[in-house]
């Protein structure tokens, strides 16, 4: 392999980050908000360790933050629902979907550039 090929491959966003970016809104909308922690963590760690693009890193952090806020609220409430999906406000669902869409767009922008 040439050094140019290695440099090109090292800058690409890992496929796991892309799949996780798509999985987060699907899981949250599909009432699996608590299990969405898995793709959120994969997207965050993969973006922080696997890419050099700042926009991908920042949007992955935004996805993690928008998921973490309703999770913390759900855990802190003494009268919370037994499921995070039942307790999450629709506004937070919209924020998570928008942040995930921004991450997807950032990943595709990084691939083109």
């Amino acid at each position: 392999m040439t050094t140019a090929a290695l440099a090109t491959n090292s800058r690409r966003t890992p496929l796991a980050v892309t799949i996780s970016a798509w999985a987060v809104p699907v899981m949250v909308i599909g009432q699996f908000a608590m299990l969405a922690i898995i793709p959120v963590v994969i997207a965050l760690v993969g973006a922080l360790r696997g890419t050099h693009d700042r926009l991908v890193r920042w949007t992955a952090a935004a996805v993690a933050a928008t998921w973490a806020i309703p999770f913390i609220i759900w855990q802190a409430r003494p009268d919370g629902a037994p499921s995070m999906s039942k307790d999450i406000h629709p506004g937070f669902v919209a924020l998570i979907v928008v942040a995930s869409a921004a991450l997807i767009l950032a990943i595709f922008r990084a691939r083109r550039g």
Side-chain angles (χ1 to χ4, degrees), residues 47-84:
L48 293 177
R49 297 189 77 198
T51 186
H52 298 289
D53 190 4
R54 284 185 179 164
L55 186 60
V56 173
R57 289 178 174 197
W58 278 101
T59 53
V63 170
T66 57
W67 182 88
I69 292 169
F71 175 74
I72 292 169
I73 292 170
W74 175 60
Q75 289 294 316
R77 287 182 51 184
D79 62 340
S83 168
M84 182 177 165

Side-chain angles (χ1 to χ4, degrees), residues 87-106:
D87 200 37
I88 193 168
H89 189 275
F92 282 121
V93 173
L95 282 174
I96 293 168
V97 170
V98 168
S100 296
L103 177 58
I104 292 166
L105 290 174

